[in-house]
Amino acid sequence: MSTTPRTPYLGTYMIWLLVGVIGCIVVLNALSLIFGVAVGGGAMAAIPPMLAAMKVGEKWARERGVVPPSDQAWRWSIVAAIAALAFEILATLLYLASMGGPVTWSLAAILAMGLALFTVVVIFINRYFLVLYAKRVLKVK
């Protein structure tokens, strides 16, 4: 049995995902307060997974010295997207709780479809930026 994890750097991904989410919240609030511009949060939703996958790609290349093989990159991207989905579900529940009022079945269905679609998009974002930044680090070396 191997001691090497099947999805390495998942903790690093989650930390950078959280940093990205907090950073986007700060930027959105700053834009709103300073300039009076309300930027939609959906426009910033893809930035935290991009940042997290970039950082993991860099770390992967520095520590292992190779670009992740295709099968490992896909597996890592799917598992990381599922971890991001868990975080998004928690954030969605907290947001709904702060709004108060009942959650209807139609709202729950729309939210579930949106989260599922976003998870699929995050899989491809993770895969692309993981490999791109691993290649970038190795090219510089």
Side-chain angles (χ1 to χ4, degrees), residues 16-141:
W16 281 105
L17 185 71
L18 185 60
V19 167
V21 167
I22 292 169
C24 285
I25 291 169
V26 168
V27 168
L28 288 175
N29 287 332
L31 286 172
S32 178
L33 289 172
I34 296 171
F35 299 110
V37 176
V39 179
M44 305 269 289
I47 292 174
M50 284 179 194
L51 172 70
M54 284 182 222
K55 292 299 186 180
V56 170
E58 289 174 353
K59 187 172 184 174
W60 191 305
R62 282 194 183 107
E63 290 184 4
R64 295 177 178 225
V66 294
V67 174
S70 183
D71 61 334
Q72 284 185 348
W74 279 113
R75 181 177 50 243
W76 183 89
S77 298
I78 291 168
V79 172
I82 292 169
L85 172 65
F87 179 77
E88 289 296 325
I89 289 171
L90 177 64
T92 301
L93 291 175
L94 290 173
Y95 178 73
L96 290 174
S98 73
M99 287 176 44
V103 176
T104 63
W105 282 107
S106 60
L107 176 62
I110 291 169
L111 287 173
M113 287 187 296
L115 288 171
L117 177 63
F118 185 68
T119 302
V120 171
V121 170
V122 169
I123 290 170
F124 290 102
I125 287 172
N126 285 341
R127 170 70 165 82
Y128 179 75
F129 284 100
L130 174 72
V131 173
L132 179 73
Y133 275 75
K135 285 181 181 176
R136 183 177 157 256
V137 167
L138 293 175
K139 187 177 181 181
V140 172
K141 280 187 175 183

